[in-house]
Amino acid sequence: MSEQPPKKITNNSAASQRKRLLERLHQGPINTFEITAELGICQPAARICELRGQGHPIQTHLGELVDPFGYRHEKSATYYLGGTTTEFHA
């Protein structure tokens, strides 16, 4: 993905967070650290759960990720829309 300047978030309601997250998922996989940094969502799993409850086919890949501070996290979630990725490569 190309680097774009972050958009100013003017509405951080749960509905607005779900909208931003779903729009971003249509662009490709995104992990929990990226969701927080790019989209300003502090509880990504809650928004994912809500979107799944609305019928969106969101898949989860658990793997090791390194956070922005260099710490390794096992079983960190990367989310993607089912049907848009035939095989996930971490």
Side-chain angles (χ1 to χ4, degrees):
M1 290 185 64
S2 63
E3 289 291 320
Q4 296 178 1
K7 294 179 182 177
K8 184 176 180 180
I9 297 171
T10 58
N11 181 348
N12 210 25
S13 67
S16 178
Q17 290 179 23
R18 286 190 299 270
K19 182 176 184 279
R20 290 195 306 272
L21 181 52
L22 188 58
E23 288 172 353
R24 176 57 182 80
L25 282 166
H26 280 287
Q27 296 174 18
I30 187 168
N31 67 51
T32 54
F33 302 124
E34 294 166 335
I35 293 170
T36 300
E38 292 178 22
L39 305 176
I41 298 172
C42 293
Q43 296 180 323
R47 301 296 85 85
I48 291 292
C49 182
E50 294 162 358
L51 287 168
R52 285 179 175 147
Q54 294 175 353
H56 299 284
I58 299 170
Q59 303 296 317
T60 303
H61 171 81
L62 296 178
E64 184 177 283
L65 293 174
V66 178
D67 70 20
F69 303 101
Y71 294 105
R72 294 187 183 280
H73 298 267
E74 293 183 22
K75 297 183 181 179
S76 293
T78 298
Y79 302 102
Y80 61 97
L81 287 174
T84 59
T85 304
T86 57
E87 186 177 340
F88 181 83
H89 297 282

